[in-house]
Amino acid sequence: MSVMDLPPLREVIAAHGLRADKRFGQHFLLDLNLTAKIARLCGDMSHASVFEVGPGPGGLTRALLAEGAGEVVAVEKDARFLPALEEIGEAASPGRLQIVRADALKVAEDKVETRFSTRLLASNLPYNVGTALLIKWLTADPVWWSRLVLMFQKEVAERVVATVGDPQYGRLAILAAAAAQPRFAFTLPARAFTPPPKVDSAVVVVDPLPSDQRFGDLEALSIVTESAFGQRRKTLRKSLAAAAGKAGASAEALLQCAEIDPSARAETINPAGFMRLATAWREARG
Ligand code: SAM
């Protein structure tokens, strides 16, 4: 038997009584054209191990295997899905599906043994932890992934790819730009999911920047952007006071060092400006 011969997902969901649980952000994608479209965004996966966070009943898992992933490492928190996932593992050739029952927020992906050293990640992300997971992967050291293919709520996807001047521009866009090259792939209407969520979704493809172009202190960048955008209507002189205090400096001094006008607001400063600010923060902190 191959993955293509497995019973339809709706039958599997009914047979195993897999009702979607809101606490785990469960919205299943059962349309084979859409799961294949997402899997193809991974590019050539034949010599790669593809992490999938939240496989659920396994729609995207099947697509990743059918589109030629060398291995899929499926990380699922909800044990109810394990029998359905094991059936997929049995249908795929031996060793192509590794199932990890864990909270993806706590998994150290670089420590998981995989068949291939090239590692990608594809996920229809649980909404409640999507942003936290992206920040975890962007700031991962070492960078273990060569591509992330991620489905978010559309509004979050727009925040990832936003540039200065866009209404969605903020901390997520700056962290993404400092570590990677994100691009918007396509939108999916809420009705594509079972059960449909309240909002539309969108897929973003994130490729890491070459190591010499990646900003070296994402921790400092995370701290200054959190402070600056935490009170985004205030001037930077005010909104940065808390973060500057942690470094034992004044906001004015850090902003001067970074050549940023203290009366500017966070939303007008491009990622390069925030990277200078993060460097100034780190130097002050020592
Ligand atoms: N991949 C399936 C699909 O596309 O139909 C399900 C996607 S559903 C939006 C999100 C999945 O993530 C669920 O299976 C849920 O149980 C799982 N999940 C939620 N929180 C998780 C976490 N912290 N770690 C791992 N999996 C999680």
Side-chain angles (χ1 to χ4, degrees):
M1 181 154 97
S2 88
V3 174
M4 306 303 277
D5 304 323
L6 283 161
L9 282 161
R10 280 186 199 282
E11 276 178 28
V12 172
I13 290 169
H16 292 280
L18 299 173
R19 194 165 303 150
D21 185 335
K22 270 196 185 160
R23 285 174 308 154
F24 293 143
Q26 290 171 357
H27 300 280
F28 306 137
L29 192 54
L30 308 179
D31 181 323
L32 301 183
N33 290 322
L34 290 174
T35 50
K37 192 170 169 185
I38 296 170
R40 283 197 290 270
L41 287 171
C42 290
D44 181 5
M45 305 179 269
S46 56
H47 293 89
S49 289
V50 186
F51 281 79
E52 186 198 354
V53 164
L60 182 57
T61 321
R62 293 183 187 196
L64 290 165
L65 290 164
E67 293 296 328
E71 179 187 21
V72 174
V73 182
V75 182
E76 175 59 62
K77 186 172 167 180
D78 185 345
R80 294 180 307 140
F81 294 113
L82 301 188
L85 293 169
E86 277 155 15
E87 282 167 15
I88 299 175
E90 281 157 24
S93 32
R96 280 185 74 209
L97 179 62
Q98 181 181 166
I99 303 167
V100 179
R101 190 194 164 196
D103 179 341
L105 283 167
K106 297 184 185 151
V107 172
E109 293 88 351
D110 59 315
K111 303 270 172 5
V112 176
E113 272 194 35
T114 52
R115 282 179 81 181
F116 298 92
S117 55
T118 300
R119 293 159 177 213
L120 314 168
L121 186 140
S123 176
N124 172 10
L125 285 166
Y127 287 165
N128 40 357
V129 288
T131 308
L133 284 168
L134 176 61
I135 292 178
K136 177 190 165 207
W137 296 324
L138 287 173
T139 56
D141 184 15
V143 185
W144 54 267
W145 46 276
S146 57
R147 175 167 286 185
L148 308 172
V149 175
L150 305 173
M151 173 128 61
F152 294 100
Q153 286 147 282
K154 187 170 177 224
E155 178 259 326
V156 178
E158 286 168 349
R159 279 168 41 208
V160 178
V161 299
T163 52
V164 66
D166 293 339
Q168 299 88 349
Y169 178 72
R171 183 168 181 240
L172 209 48
I174 293 163
L175 289 174
Q181 279 178 308
R183 72 179 166 87
F184 192 96
F186 64 94
T187 303
L188 284 91
R191 66 182 140 74
F193 300 86
T194 309
K198 291 204 177 74
V199 292
D200 290 344
S201 294
V203 181
V204 172
V205 177
V206 183
D207 288 337
L209 283 173
S211 55
D212 59 338
Q213 288 173 36
R214 179 183 163 89
F215 183 62
D217 195 343
L218 291 164
E219 188 195 357
L221 190 62
S222 178
I223 292 169
V224 296
T225 52
E226 187 174 27
S227 185
F229 286 94
Q231 307 177 67
R232 60 193 295 150
R233 295 225 164 71
K234 294 196 174 166
T235 62
L236 285 166
R237 178 189 287 120
K238 292 219 169 95
S239 62
L240 274 177
K246 279 188 207 159
S250 72
E252 294 265 354
L254 294 185
L255 289 159
Q256 192 184 6
C257 218
E259 296 176 12
I260 295 172
D261 176 359
S263 62
R265 287 184 171 71
E267 69 216 29
T268 65
I269 308 300
N270 65 17
F274 275 105
M275 290 181 221
R276 294 196 303 275
L277 196 56
T279 304
W281 184 90
R282 181 63 71 190
E283 276 165 12
R285 170 106 189 235

